[in-house]
Amino acid sequence: MILEMSNIKKHFEDCEVLHDISLSVDSGEVVSIIGPSGSGKSTLLRCATFLEKIDSGSIKYLDKTVVHTPEGEKPVYLPKKDMVKVKSYFGLVFQQFNLFPHYSVLKNVCDAPIHVQKRDKEEVEAKARELLKKMGLSDKADAYPFQLSGGQQQRVAIARALALNPDIIFFDEPTSALDPELTGEVLKIIKQLAEEKMTMVIVTHEMNFAKNVSKRVIFMDGGYIVEQGDPEEVLGNPTQERTRQFLKNYQQ
């Protein structure tokens, strides 16, 4: 098992956004998380990647307990020096790309492996060029983000995540900031990664994509996991009325 999140609770001020959520992801599994805005999908990813701290529960990566909550106490995270290692287990692709505007494409991809993971510069650059080729961006290594389309920027962001050699990649609505005509090129790359058995958790509003690439689909609403299971079942024949209502109203 790559990731195990147990009984996760999270609130912002008086609003509880995650209610006792548990989620596990096996090696090679692709899990898509769907649901309306404000359902807690992105917050769940931010907790899984330590951009937000949980209020209670536990998170394990590869059988290493990263955070646990002793009874009646606050969550206890690993020491900072150990967290550096844990953070190398995953990559994260944001909705808004989050590239460094003053770095070239190549430097955006190489920066973390060289300076955070302390890997050999030549080895990292060779890997980065290989990844850019895979993304169809061989000719963009020396370009800067402002010179790229949104779809190209998102493919650079995916290359950057892969350059860390992660065990799992999280995608937080990777196409929602893109024009429809650019969405396809990013989804094609993610589908290719799925075929290569990359472990992924994808928050998405692309229902057909979720159906085609996922091993499991999770429907969230109001900070709860309402329904999860086989994509054909959840998206084609959901058991919960709330899921049916969401899919019926969803404009594809």
Side-chain angles (χ1 to χ4, degrees):
M1 189 172 294
I2 302 286
L3 169 67
E4 186 175 4
M5 303 178 76
S6 302
N7 309 112
I8 303 297
K9 292 184 179 180
K10 176 67 181 174
H11 73 276
F12 295 110
E13 296 180 349
D14 296 332
C15 179
E16 190 162 6
V17 290
L18 295 177
H19 303 268
D20 205 33
I21 295 275
S22 294
L23 167 70
S24 62
V25 184
D26 289 328
S27 179
E29 191 175 20
V30 179
V31 178
S32 289
I33 304 177
I34 63 171
S37 296
S39 59
K41 309 183 297 296
S42 293
T43 300
L44 182 62
L45 255 59
R46 291 178 66 83
C47 289
T49 54
F50 314 118
L51 294 172
E52 298 285 356
K53 288 196 169 183
I54 62 173
D55 294 325
S56 65
S58 67
I59 301 175
K60 281 184 179 181
Y61 274 96
L62 301 171
D63 293 329
K64 182 191 285 284
T65 300
V66 185
V67 54
H68 70 286
T69 308
E71 191 169 347
E73 296 182 34
K74 291 183 176 181
V76 178
Y77 282 80
L78 287 174
K80 194 173 181 179
K81 60 181 175 61
D82 296 324
M83 290 298 288
V84 173
K85 172 67 175 171
V86 170
K87 287 178 180 179
S88 72
Y89 296 157
F90 60 80
L92 176 59
V93 177
F94 298 90
Q95 185 175 329
Q96 297 289 348
F97 326 135
N98 283 23
L99 301 177
F100 294 113
H102 55 296
Y103 284 1
S104 69
V105 164
L106 186 65
K107 190 171 182 182
N108 263 286
V109 177
C110 293
D111 191 61
I114 292 171
H115 295 109
V116 179
Q117 296 182 330
K118 308 299 183 187
R119 284 158 51 195
D120 177 73
K121 184 178 179 181
E122 285 188 11
E123 174 259 322
V124 170
E125 285 196 1
K127 169 83 171 177
R129 290 185 186 280
E130 185 184 305
L131 286 168
L132 290 174
K133 182 179 179 182
K134 184 175 183 174
M135 300 294 137
L137 297 169
S138 292
D139 59 335
K140 301 296 183 184
D142 298 323
Y144 285 82
F146 77 90
Q147 297 172 307
L148 306 179
S149 70
Q152 289 171 330
Q153 289 188 61
Q154 193 61 295
R155 282 181 280 156
V156 173
I158 295 171
R160 179 178 60 181
L162 289 168
L164 295 165
N165 294 327
D167 295 281
I168 181 171
I169 297 186
F170 297 92
F171 293 86
D172 189 4
E173 300 201 20
T175 61
S176 64
L178 301 177
D179 294 335
E181 65 187 74
L182 300 177
T183 294
E185 63 190 43
V186 173
L187 296 181
K188 183 180 176 183
I189 292 291
I190 300 174
K191 187 175 182 182
Q192 183 182 339
L193 294 174
E195 289 166 356
E196 295 169 3
K197 305 299 181 190
M198 184 74 216
T199 309
M200 295 184 282
V201 176
I202 308 166
V203 170
T204 184
H205 56 271
E206 301 284 343
M207 298 301 149
N208 287 332
F209 173 72
K211 192 173 185 178
N212 291 332
V213 305
S214 310
K215 187 173 181 182
R216 180 159 43 110
V217 169
I218 293 172
F219 172 65
M220 287 183 68
D221 187 41
Y224 293 93
I225 291 179
V226 176
E227 185 164 359
Q228 64 176 309
D230 178 89
E232 293 284 346
E233 289 297 315
V234 174
L235 296 172
N237 189 28
T239 61
Q240 300 299 312
E241 176 57 34
R242 181 66 189 96
T243 317
R244 287 196 288 269
Q245 183 187 353
F246 170 76
L247 293 170
K248 182 180 178 183
N249 293 335
Y250 198 86
Q251 297 298 315
Q252 296 194 47

